[in-house]
Amino acid sequence: MALDQATKLHLEKELLPFLTLEARGDLKSVAIRYFLELTGSKEGRDFIAEGDKFLKAIASLTCDKEKDISRDAFLTLINLTADEKIAWKLMNTETTFIYDLLHKMLKPDFEFADQASSIIANTTRIAGCASKLACQILEANSKVTMENVVNVLCKVNFNKNATLHYLGLILSNLTQVPGIRKIIMDKDRCIIQKLLPFTEYADSTIRRGGIVGTLKNCCFEYEYHAWLLSEEVDILPRLLLPLAGGEEFDDDDMERLPVDLQFLPPDKEREADPDLRTMLIEAVTQLCSTKQGRLLIKEKNAYVILRELDRWEKDPKTKVACRNLIDVLISDEPQQGMEDLHKVEVPEHLVEKFNQMDLDLLSDFKEELDKKASEEKEEKGEEKS
Amino acid sequence: MPKSKKAMSDEERKELVERLTADLEDFVAERSIAARNRKATEPEDTRTIDEIAEELKSHPAFMKDIDWSKPLPPEVEGLMQLKYECEDPTARADSYREDGNEQFKLKKYQIAIDNYTEGIKSKSPDAELNAVLYTNRAAAQFHLGNHRSSFNDCLFARKFKPDHFKAIIRGAQCCFQMNKFADAVRFCDAALMVEPENPTVLELRVKADKGMRARERDERKQAAKERKEEEEDRKLLQAIQTRGVQVASMKVSPDSKINPLLLTALESHNPTGAKVHLDDQGHLKWPVIFFYPEYAETDFISAFDEEACFSDHLEHMFGPETPPAPWDEENKYKPSRIEIYFENKDEEKLYRVSPESSLLDALRHKKYLVYAGTPGFIFLVRGSKFAHEFTARYRKH
């Protein structure tokens, strides 16, 4: 659909007036439907986002009493916020729109909770938007609390008409903000603990992935490592469990593992998504950057889980992350004064060298895994003939 | 620095009560389904959850309107009678509550329970008072170690007041004492919705979560043990089948799954409990019994390697370096004179076994049948009078 100047003018003069709550229902319906179809193309999306008028109008229609109209408005905004520039613009022209959506979707009877969560997830992918929303949540008179966000996320079937899977992604995006992380890790409350069982949540990769991302973000708070690894939270087994398969260990190795990882059945399957596996590995790697964390993780025999994962792993990027973590676990302890790895200042030329080593390792793995794959194909070919 | 506790607004309180009510109803519904599936008859409080829930619907504290077209529930009828007796049920219930509390302080828990029970029976329409009565009775029951009764009272208390903190935390403690760790975590989470920073609840939740995971580990350990035993049993049965050994009452096809009855066929009834098993080299070792019918004596070999010869055992048991058995009065049981037989019970025939045979050779004989997982063999002395008479009996058939 080409948008010539005449069409643009027509949309502004003729259709925009119908994008109001007061407009006649049938005309409003045709207008919003037209804009929804417009968002199918980048040209259309860019046109809608040129000024404030269209965004404001569409946002207002999410409150329309006619369900079909509000649904179309929501779908339009989902498509628009998939574009980062437009998401940023929406956040800044309708300053409380995203916050109000979040407040609504935390009620069990909100009909468009899933659509709302998609919009919020799209918008909070942008660090600036996440930060803005976080500030609004953290205000003293805020009606939204992070504790309630977590409680709603952890209560599956909270809303009979919505899955709220994208709430996991929203939480992950918001925990890019340090202030939000600290609330979730309030030692006087029980918030992050409720998220831990969801690293094995089977019904939704999005929900599970959002929670894994949240936990990984929390592992960047180094002062909290001792608490995260203590019995009060016990985060380590929940990060390792999705990385563990059904391999059998001898009694000595078994006894040193956390109880959650002992006697796993032979049909235990690992996390299927390689991106999530990488995030889990990187979370454990962060926990290893403090001496205290590293020693405890060694003591808990995490190495054997990662050793078996490395043998099993077929994704090159994940394999690199796994090798890096294994290197930390099997290396001697750093010399005095350099125990906390995140504090060590690495010279620029060494950073470049390490990055190059990772790239070399990555291409080596790709080559090796491709070779194995082609060999397997040949074997299958021979069997068939 | 202690955080200032923010007072809950009326709206927030209302939302909290709604959430706790929904969660409690889910919990009771799940328990109801579980109880129905179990179909177990429990001695205390045999009424089902459904019946109790139905009864609560007609409790004055929950009723909003009286349906005059139906017979009045006994409680409402009682209320109307009380009206004419000019006695206030709430005042009476509260009086029993106070008496119960006095006895509780004196640690006379059973008397306290009786008082609280009478207070409950007063059927006051005051929901909060009923919640307190049930909660206090739960506390007394808990101190007597009656955790199940205590827990049921916690449920009833929460029926009247879903956000009654003391009932929720008491319920969590009951579940923990009964090792129902998942339920304990659930009640802790409900308690934390009322008091998010309560240290007692936070600590109990950690312990319950830990208990839950330890139990799950133990279940996996048990499953692993069973898998291992099943694998060993499968190997054992396969080894026996592969060798062509026939075991009485054991008929299996190679594809069949392990049936417990098959293993019963291998259960031996010897005093030591020894059982056929595979050793590290993949040899079958059988418990074997030797019969000496001349003297009504037996010898038991607990682990007879299938590859070993009978003659090896004969040398060991009756060789020149071994003193004669006390029952061998004529000292005639010598390796060179002993003849070995087994009986086929169906045919009522004796079959001869060469002393140079291995156990496996004997067991492979198409007429040999292993009974009770324990091969048996008959030892006779060649040329003896008894041997002649014994074998003659079988020859007549």
Side-chain angles (χ1 to χ4, degrees):
Chain A
M1 181 191 304
L3 283 175
D4 56 34
Q5 199 61 30
T7 305
K8 290 181 179 180
L9 204 61
H10 171 75
L11 290 173
E12 187 170 346
K13 296 284 187 185
E14 303 298 332
L15 258 61
L16 182 56
F18 296 128
L19 295 181
T20 65
L21 294 171
E22 300 80 29
R24 222 175 79 187
D26 54 343
L27 297 177
K28 188 164 37 177
S29 178
V30 170
I32 189 61
R33 174 54 59 112
Y34 189 90
F35 278 91
L36 173 56
E37 289 174 4
L38 212 55
T39 60
S41 73
K42 177 154 171 50
E43 185 186 12
R45 293 194 295 273
D46 286 344
F47 166 71
I48 292 173
E50 272 176 19
D52 299 353
K53 297 185 290 291
F54 291 120
L55 279 179
K56 280 179 180 284
I58 295 166
S60 71
L61 287 189
T62 58
C63 300
D64 199 88
K65 290 172 186 171
E66 192 66 41
K67 295 292 159 53
D68 289 342
I69 292 173
S70 46
R71 185 188 316 280
D72 282 351
F74 273 111
L75 295 178
T76 305
L77 287 174
I78 291 175
N79 290 347
L80 290 171
T81 52
D83 190 307
E84 285 194 6
K85 285 187 301 179
I86 302 178
W88 175 257
K89 185 156 198 172
L90 178 66
M91 191 74 190
N92 287 279
T93 58
E94 295 285 330
T95 55
T96 62
F97 178 71
I98 298 296
Y99 172 86
D100 290 337
L101 273 189
L102 182 58
H103 185 230
K104 283 178 189 172
M105 69 174 287
L106 297 179
K107 296 190 185 299
D109 51 2
F110 183 49
E111 201 161 337
F112 297 107
D114 274 345
Q115 289 79 7
S117 64
S118 290
I119 294 168
I120 302 171
N122 280 346
T123 306
T124 53
R125 276 176 311 154
I126 303 158
C129 294
S131 184
K132 218 177 183 83
L133 180 58
C135 285
Q136 291 170 326
I137 293 169
L138 296 174
E139 279 177 11
N141 60 345
S142 171
K143 292 178 181 174
V144 173
T145 68
M146 289 312 299
E147 184 162 18
N148 194 32
V149 170
V150 170
N151 283 340
V152 169
L153 176 58
C154 292
K155 186 163 178 57
V156 182
N157 297 327
F158 172 81
N159 183 324
K160 305 303 179 192
N161 301 305
T163 65
L164 294 180
H165 289 331
Y166 277 92
L167 189 51
L169 211 48
I170 293 168
L171 182 64
S172 178
N173 293 340
L174 287 174
T175 52
Q176 299 174 90
V177 180
I180 298 289
R181 293 202 288 266
K182 287 183 162 59
I183 289 185
I184 286 176
M185 292 191 287
D186 186 337
K187 296 177 181 178
D188 291 330
R189 295 185 175 225
C190 176
I191 303 179
I192 190 174
Q193 294 93 321
K194 292 179 177 172
L195 297 171
L196 300 179
F198 284 85
T199 61
E200 289 275 295
Y201 181 77
D203 287 353
S204 167
T205 303
I206 291 169
R207 198 191 202 97
R208 185 170 78 249
I211 288 171
V212 168
T214 301
L215 297 179
K216 178 194 166 186
N217 289 341
C218 289
C219 289
F220 281 93
E221 296 290 339
Y222 303 106
E223 318 86 62
Y224 286 80
H225 279 188
W227 180 69
L228 288 171
L229 290 164
S230 75
E231 281 196 352
E232 288 180 73
V233 181
D234 208 9
I235 193 172
L236 180 65
R238 299 296 190 173
L239 298 174
L240 292 175
L241 186 57
L243 300 174
E247 294 86 5
E248 205 169 326
F249 299 109
D250 62 47
D251 290 344
D252 287 344
D253 276 336
M254 184 84 76
E255 283 169 9
R256 289 180 54 206
L257 286 168
V259 297
D260 307 74
L261 299 168
Q262 294 179 10
F263 302 104
L264 297 177
D267 57 356
K268 166 69 169 69
E269 290 192 10
R270 291 182 169 86
E271 166 62 58
D273 188 311
D275 288 334
L276 296 197
R277 294 200 297 275
T278 302
M279 288 167 72
L280 291 159
I281 292 167
E282 288 170 350
V284 179
T285 304
Q286 286 305 316
L287 292 172
C288 283
S289 70
T290 56
K291 175 177 181 179
Q292 187 173 1
R294 188 166 58 250
L295 293 181
L296 187 140
I297 289 168
K298 287 182 177 181
E299 182 191 325
K300 294 290 182 179
N301 209 14
Y303 165 73
V304 298
I305 301 292
L306 296 158
R307 178 192 70 202
E308 298 304 317
L309 172 64
D310 183 66
R311 289 179 184 168
W312 173 90
E313 185 59 65
K314 291 177 173 57
D315 180 84
K317 181 185 164 212
T318 311
K319 209 168 174 76
V320 170
C322 188
R323 286 293 175 90
N324 285 338
L325 177 49
I326 288 176
D327 283 347
V328 173
L329 291 176
I330 64 179
S331 296
D332 294 336
E333 278 297 290
Q335 55 183 325
Q336 193 171 347
M338 299 178 72
E339 296 96 341
D340 288 347
L341 308 181
H342 60 281
K343 293 178 180 174
V344 176
E345 291 184 15
V346 186
E348 186 62 28
H349 71 280
L350 285 183
V351 172
E352 290 175 10
K353 183 180 175 184
F354 291 148
N355 288 340
Q356 187 58 47
M357 286 170 66
D358 276 354
L359 290 174
D360 292 343
L361 196 60
L362 184 64
S363 60
D364 286 348
F365 283 149
K366 280 180 178 173
E367 190 176 326
E368 183 183 326
L369 291 167
D370 286 346
K371 188 176 177 185
K372 279 186 181 178
S374 59
E375 283 175 355
E376 285 176 3
K377 282 185 179 178
E378 287 176 4
E379 286 177 1
K380 288 184 180 178
E382 288 174 5
E383 288 172 6
K384 287 180 181 177
S385 64
Chain B
M1 184 177 80
K3 297 185 177 98
S4 62
K5 196 177 286 186
K6 191 173 70 171
M8 233 182 273
S9 71
D10 286 346
E11 184 186 340
E12 287 168 341
R13 171 83 189 291
K14 184 186 173 188
E15 276 189 18
L16 172 64
V17 171
E18 285 173 359
R19 289 210 304 272
L20 286 171
T21 301
D23 183 61
L24 181 64
E25 283 171 358
D26 288 345
F27 178 82
V28 172
E30 288 166 21
R31 238 172 77 115
S32 177
I33 292 167
R36 225 176 291 151
N37 291 339
R38 228 167 27 231
K39 296 181 180 176
T41 310
E42 296 178 10
E44 54 170 325
D45 204 344
T46 52
R47 294 180 300 169
T48 66
I49 292 287
D50 291 335
E51 287 168 356
I52 295 169
E54 190 65 31
E55 182 174 310
L56 282 177
K57 285 183 183 176
S58 61
H59 193 285
F62 295 112
M63 288 187 68
K64 296 177 179 176
D65 295 301
I66 296 176
D67 185 353
W68 299 103
S69 67
K70 293 179 180 176
L72 293 177
E75 292 82 6
V76 174
E77 194 170 312
L79 265 184
M80 299 183 72
Q81 288 179 12
L82 286 174
K83 179 179 177 182
Y84 299 108
E85 294 177 14
C86 298
E87 194 168 355
D88 181 2
T90 299
R92 201 172 75 201
D94 196 53
S95 177
Y96 277 119
R97 179 188 62 80
E98 286 178 357
D99 290 346
N101 288 0
E102 287 298 317
Q103 300 303 319
F104 192 99
K105 288 175 186 172
L106 298 170
K107 303 196 180 188
K108 298 183 177 178
Y109 298 118
Q110 189 57 59
I111 302 179
I113 289 171
D114 294 338
N115 275 286
Y116 295 133
T117 302
E118 289 302 314
I120 290 166
K121 287 181 178 177
S122 300
K123 302 286 184 183
S124 162
D126 185 328
E128 175 128 10
L129 177 55
N130 280 283
V132 170
L133 285 162
Y134 273 110
T135 303
N136 290 4
R137 190 168 78 171
Q141 295 279 20
F142 190 88
H143 278 87
L144 292 177
N146 303 329
H147 299 126
R148 185 196 295 275
S149 298
S150 179
F151 182 69
N152 285 338
D153 279 346
C154 295
L155 287 180
F156 294 137
R158 291 189 63 197
K159 269 291 182 178
F160 288 96
K161 188 167 183 275
D163 61 333
H164 196 63
F165 180 79
K166 287 186 176 180
I168 304 175
I169 190 174
R170 178 67 65 189
Q173 288 164 343
C174 292
C175 292
F176 185 79
Q177 291 297 326
M178 295 191 287
N179 291 339
K180 298 185 176 182
F181 300 116
D183 291 341
V185 169
R186 187 167 182 166
F187 267 68
C188 285
D189 285 345
L192 291 171
M193 286 167 75
V194 182
E195 290 193 19
E197 297 182 19
N198 186 287
T200 304
V201 181
L202 289 167
E203 186 182 341
L204 180 57
R205 191 189 193 277
V206 171
K207 291 197 294 183
D209 185 63
K210 192 175 179 183
M212 180 168 62
R213 291 187 282 151
R215 162 176 287 164
E216 286 168 354
R217 187 280 310 276
D218 292 342
E219 286 167 358
R220 289 196 302 269
K221 183 175 185 178
Q222 179 65 23
K225 185 183 174 190
E226 286 168 6
R227 276 197 307 270
K228 189 176 179 185
E229 287 175 351
E230 186 172 310
E231 181 59 26
E232 286 172 356
D233 292 340
R234 188 188 306 277
K235 285 179 182 174
L236 178 65
L237 288 172
Q238 186 181 1
I240 292 171
Q241 289 177 249
T242 303
R243 287 150 173 73
V245 175
Q246 298 173 88
V247 178
S249 78
M250 177 174 123
K251 295 183 177 178
V252 286
S253 64
D255 297 329
S256 70
K257 293 182 179 178
I258 290 183
N259 185 321
L261 291 178
L262 300 182
L263 297 174
T264 303
L266 294 177
E267 289 295 329
S268 57
H269 304 296
N270 59 75
T272 67
K275 198 177 159 184
V276 58
H277 63 278
L278 277 163
D279 67 8
D280 295 342
Q281 285 85 45
H283 288 185
L284 282 172
K285 282 178 153 58
W286 293 84
V288 174
I289 188 164
F290 294 156
F291 297 100
Y292 311 102
E294 181 175 4
Y295 294 102
E297 290 283 350
T298 62
D299 271 324
F300 179 71
I301 315 293
S302 62
F304 194 145
D305 189 308
E306 62 181 347
E307 297 294 343
C309 298
F310 285 94
S311 56
D312 293 337
H313 284 280
L314 292 181
E315 284 297 323
H316 181 71
M317 299 165 71
F318 302 105
E321 299 173 11
T322 308
W327 44 265
D328 186 8
E329 297 164 0
E330 301 168 48
N331 195 14
K332 63 177 186 279
Y333 278 79
K334 307 287 187 186
S336 58
R337 296 189 61 191
I338 290 174
E339 293 180 339
I340 305 168
Y341 297 86
F342 68 85
E343 176 191 10
N344 182 295
K345 294 184 181 179
D346 292 340
E347 299 177 350
E348 295 187 24
K349 278 189 176 181
L350 287 182
Y351 289 85
R352 182 81 177 272
V353 176
S354 162
E356 277 64 54
S357 308
S358 67
L359 175 60
L360 183 56
D361 291 333
L363 297 183
R364 271 180 170 150
H365 194 292
K366 63 178 185 293
K367 296 297 182 179
Y368 197 95
L369 209 55
V370 177
Y371 289 92
T374 309
F377 297 91
I378 297 164
F379 283 18
L380 303 173
V381 172
R382 182 186 323 113
S384 69
K385 180 183 178 185
F386 179 85
H388 181 74
E389 293 171 353
F390 187 84
T391 57
R393 285 186 232 153
Y394 287 89
R395 239 178 274 114
K396 288 179 182 177
H397 300 304

